[in-house]
Amino acid sequence: MAKKVAFLQGNEAAAQGALYAGCKFFAGYPITPSTEVAEVMSVELPKIGGKFIQMEDEIGAMAALLGGALGGAKALTSTSGPGLSLKQELIGYGCIAEIPCVIINVMRGGPSTGMPTGPSQSDIMSAKWGTHGDHPAICLVPASVQELFEETVRAFNLAEKYRTPVMVMPDEIVGHMRERVVFPEPGELEVIDRAAPTVEPAQYKPYDTSFGDVPPLAAFGSGYKFHVTGLNKLPDGFPTTKAEYVQAEEERQVRKVEGNADDIMKWEEYKCDDAEIIIVAFGSTSRSARFAVDQAREQGIKAGLFRLITFWPFPEKRILELSKKVKAFITPEMNLGMATGVVKAAVEGNAPVLGIFRVDGEPINPGQILDKMKEVK
Amino acid sequence: MAYDYEKFIRPGKLPHIWCPGCGHGIVMKGLIRAIDACGLKKENTAIVSGIGCASRLPGYMDCCTLHTAHGRAAAFATGVKMSRPEMDVILVGGDGDGTAIGGNHFIHACRRNINMTYIILNNKIYGMTGGQFSPATPTGDKASTTPYGNPDPAFDIAKLAIGAGATFVARGTAFHANQIDKLIAEAIQHKGFSVVEILDDCPTTYGRRNKFKSVIEMMNHLKDIAVPVKAAEKMSPEQLKGKVLTGVLYKEDKPEYCEQYAKVIERAQAAK
Ligand SMILES: Cc1ncc(C[n+]2csc(CCOP(=O)(O)OP(=O)(O)O)c2C)c(N)n1
Ligand code: SF4
């Protein structure tokens, strides 16, 4: 049988990816340029008996999302810009209480209301440092409509596997462009469900690390009674200020992501083998970069593209390896140097990192990247 | 025989954090008797709170308990209820938690008329953080941040709930302990969003700043100001000055949110 093929907008594909992954619950608040995700979910979820709710604001949406996820549902929200700022309070709650959920944040210009319809890549630091305190961060940055579909499926898998909020962050261009999408058959892409408890309700502890760094999560209403709090907690979920527990728990929460970075990280190396100049890029910017690499090769410049598909955890080890054999890195991005700083830290001074920054609402074009390559001595 | 509260208290979680003379424990006992009277199953009951002294209550209850962030209880609970409509969902929190930082979630939960019961423990102050004024602190009262007397007017929380669309609204006091369970039980049995405001006391951060010499004085004050709705019908506006009405203040039958959403599902599936 021929596969289902559709011409979809990025945001629509993200919603379809969520449904493929088994999402049954959506709570959101409308905001450009992410609203289409909510609109598709409002149409599709009730058809399969799922629930869609538009809340009073993004704080409420994030709260309802976590409540729905605790009820046992795979849960999604979508937002942009100021909405992400509002969600940050409870993204931290999701991290410390270890509640799986997926947040699609379509990046627009900021700060504040900024440029609601303009593309941007300036939320990547917010994805890691936006909520206060130390916490794990997983952030995926797809570059095409097909990839947005597939990475949304993977986001649910990572959320369920590691019991933590996961962010998918297409820039506005990826969120709003239309491309051909080939729908995978059911079963073709892996779909992971959270581990259910294996112990009797009376023995259940929601943070029992004897089951490893990711303890099983029971659902409210499934026969298990337990406590959930945003305070530092003991294995049974109750608050504690005991130093040895607090330290160990905080470290475990970060370790369950950082310690499994190899399972989570994804990137693509294009013509990097013999490259003297490597462009590190993600999202729509990586498409310009790929074009620029091909043009450069035609002109005899040995260029390559390192395309990030996961931004957090960041593949710093691989960048460090590459830094030992290249003349320079070029980091085009639609912000004022966020990824550039991360790449600089990773290369440990082995090679210069030349940034190209644009925040005027226009995409970075291949010509700009090619010009930058020519500056490399 | 004395009532056995133990059967709903989580083993090993007492003593509680509340100060001697704090009214929150009286409300918890009322809630336990109400849950018992309504025959709710512990594993099928979610008790959801925000942050504050009052919001520590769920931790002591042997149910599915969710201690959320400051003000967010109603929004978290909405997610739980939507995801698990068969669960009984009860919210607990302070006046500050529910009507300041959580005010937006509160009024929208009232408006949706989602089948949950919200118990607001109104001690007119932010107890946990040491006695700053709340939206329920009367004008002129002293708080740690109104050293010259509170310039703000106060919310009437029950009226706010009625105005926002809650379909069952009741008020009691920590003094009238035997009425609390009856009000909460009626609220739980009501289909729709029900609000029970309990006028409560915080001797530690409110009483001492506002010329109450003892917990007994605070309790006597609650006794003096409370007028049952029925009795109020026969009283003149003069006689009602400085009083608050207690009992069931409002009750209405309106479509419930989860049932409305079930109809959305039916329509979506019919159109498929
Ligand atoms: C976002 C946020 N802001 C402020 C606080 C600090 N805070 C904790 S409890 C509280 C007030 C609680 O007062 P109330 O809800 O009336 O309950 P009570 O302690 O009197 O029972 C405040 C302001 C917080 N925890 N979170
Ligand atoms: S500070 Fe006030 S509200 Fe908090 S426990 Fe003490 S008396 Fe109760």
Side-chain angles (χ1 to χ4, degrees):
Chain A
M1 204 177 83
K3 280 196 187 167
K4 190 177 149 199
V5 176
F7 192 60
L8 287 187
Q9 186 201 55
N11 287 345
E12 293 166 355
Q16 292 298 339
L19 294 165
Y20 183 96
C23 174
K24 288 279 158 50
F25 189 92
F26 182 99
Y29 190 83
I31 185 164
T32 304
S34 70
T35 305
E36 296 85 1
V37 181
E39 287 171 342
V40 173
M41 295 311 273
S42 76
V43 174
E44 298 302 329
L45 276 176
K47 289 188 197 164
I48 55 167
K51 309 286 167 67
F52 169 94
I53 187 164
Q54 182 171 309
M55 291 297 287
E56 50 274 9
D57 59 26
E58 286 87 348
I59 306 174
M62 195 62 213
L65 179 75
L66 294 171
L70 266 180
K74 287 189 179 179
L76 177 74
T77 190
S78 58
T79 196
S80 293
L84 179 63
S85 293
L86 287 183
K87 284 191 199 293
Q88 289 292 4
E89 178 196 36
L90 298 181
I91 288 174
Y93 190 97
C95 291
I96 195 168
E98 301 180 66
I99 303 173
C101 60
V102 174
I103 299 132
I104 294 180
N105 176 63
V106 186
M107 290 190 276
R108 70 186 229 182
S112 191
T113 312
M115 218 183 320
T117 53
S120 171
Q121 296 176 317
S122 57
D123 293 342
I124 49 175
M125 285 301 171
S126 221
K128 186 154 172 80
W129 305 116
T131 195
H132 62 281
D134 289 297
H135 59 90
I138 301 178
C139 172
L140 315 180
V141 283
S144 70
V145 176
Q146 181 80 37
E147 195 169 64
L148 182 45
F149 180 107
E150 288 167 12
E151 286 302 289
T152 304
V153 176
R154 203 167 72 91
F156 274 95
N157 289 344
L158 295 172
E160 297 283 314
K161 188 169 177 186
Y162 295 110
R163 230 185 119 170
T164 193
V166 172
M167 301 205 198
V168 184
M169 291 210 183
D171 54 66
E172 184 273 342
I173 296 176
V174 176
H176 274 168
M177 69 187 173
R178 290 193 173 271
E179 285 182 325
R180 182 174 180 270
V181 174
V182 182
F183 280 70
E185 299 285 341
E188 191 178 329
L189 297 184
E190 186 185 25
V191 167
I192 298 175
D193 295 329
R194 68 192 73 164
T198 48
V199 298
E200 289 299 306
Q203 272 79 54
Y204 179 66
K205 294 194 177 102
Y207 307 96
D208 185 348
T209 50
S210 64
F211 291 93
D213 277 350
V214 191
L217 176 62
F220 270 16
S222 68
Y224 288 77
K225 293 177 286 174
F226 58 102
H227 187 61
V228 178
T229 179
L231 289 161
N232 284 105
K233 78 269 180 195
L234 295 165
D236 65 1
F238 284 87
T240 185
T241 51
K242 284 201 186 108
E244 70 271 27
Y245 279 109
V246 174
Q247 177 90 18
E249 272 292 278
E250 288 243 0
E251 285 178 0
R252 176 181 63 78
Q253 282 158 37
V254 173
R255 183 175 65 232
K256 71 181 180 177
V257 167
E258 297 297 327
N260 289 297
D262 288 340
D263 178 46
I264 300 167
M265 284 186 305
K266 209 168 148 186
W267 67 83
E268 182 194 17
E269 293 180 20
Y270 177 67
K271 301 188 178 170
C272 283
D273 286 350
D274 63 339
E276 292 175 345
I277 301 171
I278 290 183
I279 324 294
V280 182
F282 59 98
S284 66
T285 308
S286 69
R287 298 167 72 116
S288 296
R290 194 183 183 98
F291 198 79
V293 165
D294 288 340
Q295 282 184 323
R297 288 273 171 179
E298 277 170 26
Q299 296 174 26
I301 302 170
K302 286 187 174 169
L305 167 66
F306 188 97
R307 183 170 75 84
L308 296 157
I309 302 171
T310 312
F311 199 95
W312 304 112
F314 191 81
E316 58 227 355
K317 270 195 227 142
R318 183 62 188 143
I319 296 279
L320 179 63
E321 272 169 22
L322 292 169
S323 73
K324 291 171 187 156
K325 29 181 236 185
V326 299
K327 282 192 191 159
F329 289 96
I330 294 176
T331 46
E333 50 184 331
M334 289 188 278
N335 63 57
L336 293 178
M338 293 181 181
T340 304
V342 181
V343 175
K344 270 187 187 159
V347 305
E348 296 181 358
N350 289 329
V353 181
L354 311 174
I356 304 170
F357 310 140
R358 255 193 123 144
V359 289
D360 60 354
E362 293 298 321
I364 292 175
N365 58 56
Q368 272 181 286
I369 301 171
L370 206 55
D371 288 348
K372 198 54 128 191
M373 288 188 212
K374 291 175 182 162
E375 286 174 23
V376 176
K377 299 276 166 337
Chain B
M1 207 177 77
Y3 182 84
D4 174 23
Y5 291 96
E6 293 285 323
K7 57 185 171 184
F8 284 94
I9 302 271
R10 208 167 229 143
K13 296 303 167 195
L14 291 178
H16 56 69
I17 63 154
W18 298 316
C19 308
C22 175
H24 293 349
I26 300 171
V27 184
M28 183 163 90
K29 288 170 96 174
L31 172 62
I32 289 176
R33 295 194 304 276
I35 288 179
D36 198 6
C38 293
L40 304 192
K41 288 208 177 66
K42 295 195 275 187
E43 59 282 357
N44 203 43
T45 303
I47 308 186
V48 186
S49 68
I51 296 288
C53 298
S55 292
R56 284 302 189 98
L57 190 155
Y60 308 121
M61 300 285 297
D62 193 22
C63 297
C64 292
T65 51
L66 178 55
H67 180 222
T68 72
H70 195 26
R72 314 297 174 216
F76 269 86
T78 299
V80 172
K81 183 71 183 174
M82 277 286 274
S83 163
R84 292 267 174 185
E86 71 284 4
M87 284 189 97
D88 293 297
V89 181
I90 296 168
L91 293 81
V92 181
D95 45 295
D97 185 73
T99 68
I101 191 163
N104 200 28
H105 310 306
F106 175 55
I107 57 173
H108 288 277
C110 292
R111 174 179 62 84
R112 284 186 199 103
N113 195 35
I114 185 161
N115 190 16
M116 312 193 290
T117 296
Y118 193 172
I119 303 160
I120 300 194
L121 286 68
N122 180 3
N123 57 12
K124 306 197 265 188
I125 202 82
Y126 288 174
M128 177 156 269
T129 43
Q132 301 75 36
F133 74 100
S134 89
T137 308
T139 309
D141 279 12
K142 295 275 174 67
S144 79
T145 47
T146 55
Y148 307 108
N150 181 20
D152 286 30
F155 267 141
D156 178 327
I157 296 176
K159 265 195 195 160
L160 176 66
I162 296 168
T167 51
F168 178 99
V169 179
R171 190 192 281 127
T173 87
F175 176 84
H176 303 87
N178 291 334
Q179 191 192 24
I180 295 175
D181 50 342
K182 302 192 180 62
L183 295 177
I184 296 177
E186 204 176 330
I188 290 172
Q189 274 150 1
H190 173 80
K191 193 197 282 174
F193 194 73
S194 50
V195 177
V196 182
E197 178 191 11
I198 305 292
L199 301 178
D200 193 356
D201 71 312
C202 171
T204 309
T205 79
Y206 178 84
R208 68 183 174 88
R209 280 197 184 88
N210 290 285
K211 300 198 176 77
F212 287 99
K213 291 200 188 72
S214 65
V215 174
I216 297 170
E217 255 189 41
M218 295 191 83
M219 285 292 160
N220 280 334
H221 174 70
L222 291 175
K223 180 177 125 191
D224 292 343
I225 59 169
V227 177
V229 246
K230 269 259 166 320
E233 283 168 12
K234 298 184 209 98
M235 289 166 69
S236 68
E238 290 297 284
Q239 290 170 309
L240 282 172
K241 245 192 159 160
K243 306 283 183 193
V244 284
L245 301 191
T246 57
V248 177
L249 308 180
Y250 187 78
K251 199 173 154 97
E252 179 192 3
D253 277 329
K254 258 202 328 213
E256 190 276 328
Y257 191 77
C258 291
E259 289 186 356
Q260 290 295 95
Y261 198 82
K263 287 185 191 153
V264 168
I265 292 179
E266 270 174 36
R267 290 198 291 271
Q269 295 187 341
K272 204 157 52 167

